[in-house]
Structures are given as structure tokens and as C-alpha cells.
Amino acid sequence: MPDTALPADESEAREILGPAEPAFEPLVHNPRNGVTGGVWRVAAGDRTAVLKVLTRSKKATGRWAATEDPRHWNYWRREAYVYESGLAQSWQPYGIRAPRLLASVERPDGDVALWLEDVHGEQATAWPITRHVEHASRMGAAQGATRSAESADDRPWLSRRFLREYVGSNTLGQELLDADEAWRQPLIRDHFPPGLRHDMVRLHHDREWFLQIMETLPRALSHLDQWPANVRADGPDSVLLDWAFTGDGALGEDLGNYLPDSVFDLFVPVARLPEYAAEAYQAYLHGLRQSGWRGDEALVRLAVRASAVKYDWLTALMLARAGEEQLDYGGGRTVSAELRYRERGLTLAFLAGWATEARALAPRLGFPEAPSGSD
């Protein structure tokens, strides 16, 4: 689906970057999202910036359609509010910041043009595991230090019930979970571990229990789209991009997203995942403690483990697309189908282990048991 917004007229670009003629380079992003009119790197003379156009007029259907509901995860103008309010920089004292906002331009057609600092540090997709672990520590410090103040923040444009609405909007292929022929497809048969079908069907059937657990756990201001493609280096610190989903989440939910997403998109090999996840979790806890947080560690562990429910939809998607060409994020190039299905299948099996741990841990913390017969 092509982007519909124009990058900018020359007067807008020159007001931001100076009199030199601007050149626009399209950047990788999710082209299906109706909220994103386009993303470009803009060069004018020796200056550069990133331009992101937020829109509600781009044609998009289903889960990626833009919405006017300010609490919905895909509210079209949220990212502008996050930058304009300064909220995007609230984690800066703890080693995570956003790109600097150069300008927010309300266009005559109703779109909003965000002109942002062009961050040149290395993208986290190429980081060694040690750097991901350092990011997890900074994440813990930031969320621990700002948790109480920001979780009570009633800014009307922060998302609410993100996990429930996001997971519920991903319905492609769900009818295939119980279809024998779908599990006999060569990519599934050859690359998904034994027992994964049972585990993922069980996770799907237990979805409501997991969501209720996640919604009852301690809260924190959350980015809700933390994965390596949205992170850059800035010296020892991290620069976090794409604040479009920002809002209320469980303390630990962002980490529970970041870790499997590192592997799902082939940035970290799945063979390193158990070691990587354990180190990153301890680093996150260390950051929490360093920030002064004194809560129950078991509640954070439960949030990370129960966040496996976010990927309930992915198994069905993999079943539905096992016969298609496999494209990378943004659709710019093909990836090995065998490698993708092997790495994702093993990661889903790892998440099934998280789900099992969550089912055992929750009752010990006073939460209801998972539905009878689900384990």
C-alpha cells in the first residue's frame, strides 16, 4: 500500500533546514499503517532531519486503519502529542531519550508533519547482546523512576488497554489453529518444534485469562513498541523512536515485547535467546532497584512471562502465510522462509515456556488460576 502524503513543500523544508534545496529519501516503516503518511530523511546542504507525516486520510483497512479515538492504540495523532508535550524525553535522565523535535507542523490538509532529529548512531538491529542488556537496564531505571507519576497521568491521548486491543485486532489465520492440513504444510512440519501446536492452541484458548492478569499488574508509562528497529545508539545511551502507541502498560511489558521481537525479525539468533532473556531480565530488575523501586520482583516476572500472550496471533499468521514469499519489515526484500520459520518456531516454543511459568506463578501471587484443563 503506497504512502499518500507529500513529503513537504519547499517552504516547509527550508523553514526547518535552511535555504538549500531539500532532497527526500524514503525510510523503512510499516506502509500498511493508516496513521503513517510516510517517513523520509531530508537533506538540505549539510543539514539533515527525519520527517514523519501523521495522517488520518490514508486508505487502510482492518487493524491498521487510523482512528480518532485518543485511547485506541492506533490513534492517528498520539505521537505528535507525545513529542509536543515533552513526554518523549521523560526517560532521558535514565539513559533513554527520543529524537529532538525540531518542529511540529499542522498542514492545511489536516496532516501533522513531525520534523525530528536525524539520529546517526548504530541501529539496535546490529547491536551485540551486551548492548541490548544495557538497554534493558536503562529501561528498568526509566520505568521504575517515572512509574508512579506517569501511571497516574490522565493525559487523554495516552493509549489504554493496548495489549487487549492489539491482540484482538490480529485475526488472520485463527481458523487454521485447529486445522490439521495447516500444520502439515512443509514449512510448519519441518521447522516448528514438536508440541508447539498444543502449546499455541492452549495459549489462544487462555487469552482472556492472560489479558486479565496483564491488566491487573502494577502499571507503568510504556512505549509499547520497543524492538531493535526502533532503537538507536547515542554514545552509551539509547534513542527510542516511534512513540505512536505510548500509554499505560504493565511494569515489565515493554521488556516482554523487546526480547522476542529481537529474534522474530532475525536480529538475535534464537540459540542465544535463553541466555539473552535471563541477562536482560536481571538488568531490567537492576535498573528498577537503582531507580528506587521497591516492589515485588515476582510481579515483574509475571508481567514479562504473561506478556507471551501478545504473540498469540503470530502462530496463526505463520500458518496463513506458509505458502507465501517471505518479506522483511517494510516489504523491501525477501528473507529465507526456512530460517524465518525455524527461528520463529523455536521462539514461540520459548514463549510457551513463559506462559507455563505464568500459569504456575499467578496463583501464588493471589491471582486466579488459569482455566481448568488448560495446563
Side-chain angles (χ1 to χ4, degrees), residues 164 209-219 248 250-251 299 302 366-368:
R164 177 179 294 277
W209 181 84
F210 278 98
L211 291 173
Q212 289 182 12
I213 294 292
M214 291 295 290
E215 290 169 353
T216 310
L217 286 165
R219 317 313 296 163
D248 172 69
L251 186 65
L299 294 172
L302 179 58
F367 294 94

Side-chain angles (χ1 to χ4, degrees), residues 7 12 51-54 103-107 111-115:
E12 183 179 302
L51 168 62
K52 183 172 186 178
V53 176
L54 310 182
S104 178
V105 180
E106 301 275 351
R107 291 182 169 178
D111 290 351
V112 176
L114 294 179
W115 289 85

Side-chain angles (χ1 to χ4, degrees), residues 104-367:
S104 178
V105 180
E106 301 275 351
R107 291 182 169 178
D109 61 2
D111 290 351
V112 176
L114 294 179
W115 289 85
L116 303 168
E117 171 193 5
D118 184 13
V119 179
H120 296 287
E122 183 180 40
Q123 190 174 31
T125 56
W127 282 0
I129 284 178
T130 53
R131 188 67 195 260
H132 292 296
V133 171
E134 291 168 2
H135 177 72
S137 179
R138 290 189 287 271
M139 194 192 310
Q143 292 188 316
T146 61
R147 188 188 72 83
S148 296
E150 299 298 348
S151 63
D153 195 325
D154 196 30
R155 302 184 203 212
W157 37 262
L158 289 173
S159 67
R160 293 288 187 272
R161 295 163 65 90
F162 164 80
L163 191 60
R164 177 179 294 277
E165 293 184 349
Y166 180 85
V167 172
S169 71
N170 285 276
T171 59
L172 181 63
Q174 286 187 2
E175 73 284 356
L176 300 177
L177 288 171
D178 294 313
D180 292 343
E181 63 276 12
W183 290 91
R184 287 196 292 262
Q185 296 177 94
L187 278 176
I188 304 297
R189 180 195 64 216
D190 297 341
H191 300 291
F192 274 19
L196 186 61
R197 176 179 182 176
H198 173 267
D199 290 339
M200 291 297 102
V201 169
R202 182 173 62 183
L203 180 63
H204 182 69
H205 290 164
D206 287 355
R207 176 196 285 186
E208 180 59 29
W209 181 84
F210 278 98
L211 291 173
Q212 289 182 12
I213 294 292
M214 291 295 290
E215 290 169 353
T216 310
L217 286 165
R219 317 313 296 163
L221 175 70
S222 302
H223 179 274
L224 299 172
D225 196 17
Q226 288 211 46
W227 65 304
N230 278 341
V231 185
R232 301 287 189 278
D234 178 32
D237 294 340
S238 302
V239 181
L240 187 54
L241 315 178
D242 197 356
W243 294 73
F245 299 163
T246 304
D248 172 69
L251 186 65
E253 185 174 336
D254 272 345
L255 182 66
N257 184 86
Y258 189 91
L259 296 174
D261 264 8
S262 301
V263 181
F264 281 139
D265 286 281
L266 306 178
F267 306 135
V268 172
V270 72
R272 302 290 305 277
L273 180 56
E275 164 203 0
Y276 164 44
E279 291 181 5
Y281 178 72
Q282 290 303 318
Y284 183 79
L285 284 180
H286 177 74
L288 283 174
R289 298 301 189 195
Q290 288 291 101
S291 74
W293 182 81
R294 296 293 179 265
D296 185 351
E297 177 270 337
L299 294 172
V300 180
R301 178 177 293 273
L302 179 58
V304 174
R305 273 42 178 180
S307 68
V309 73
K310 184 183 178 185
Y311 299 99
D312 164 47
W313 60 273
L314 185 57
T315 306
L317 179 74
M318 301 294 284
L319 293 172
R321 294 187 172 167
E324 300 177 7
E325 181 182 36
Q326 300 297 308
L327 300 175
D328 66 352
Y329 177 76
R333 64 182 179 89
T334 59
V335 299
S336 165
E338 289 76 14
L339 177 61
R340 168 171 278 175
Y341 273 72
R342 178 176 63 82
E343 296 287 291
R344 287 189 172 183
L346 290 169
T347 306
L348 289 170
F350 180 84
L351 292 178
W354 272 9
T356 297
E357 186 176 348
R359 292 186 186 96
L361 181 57
R364 297 203 295 267
L365 295 173
F367 294 94

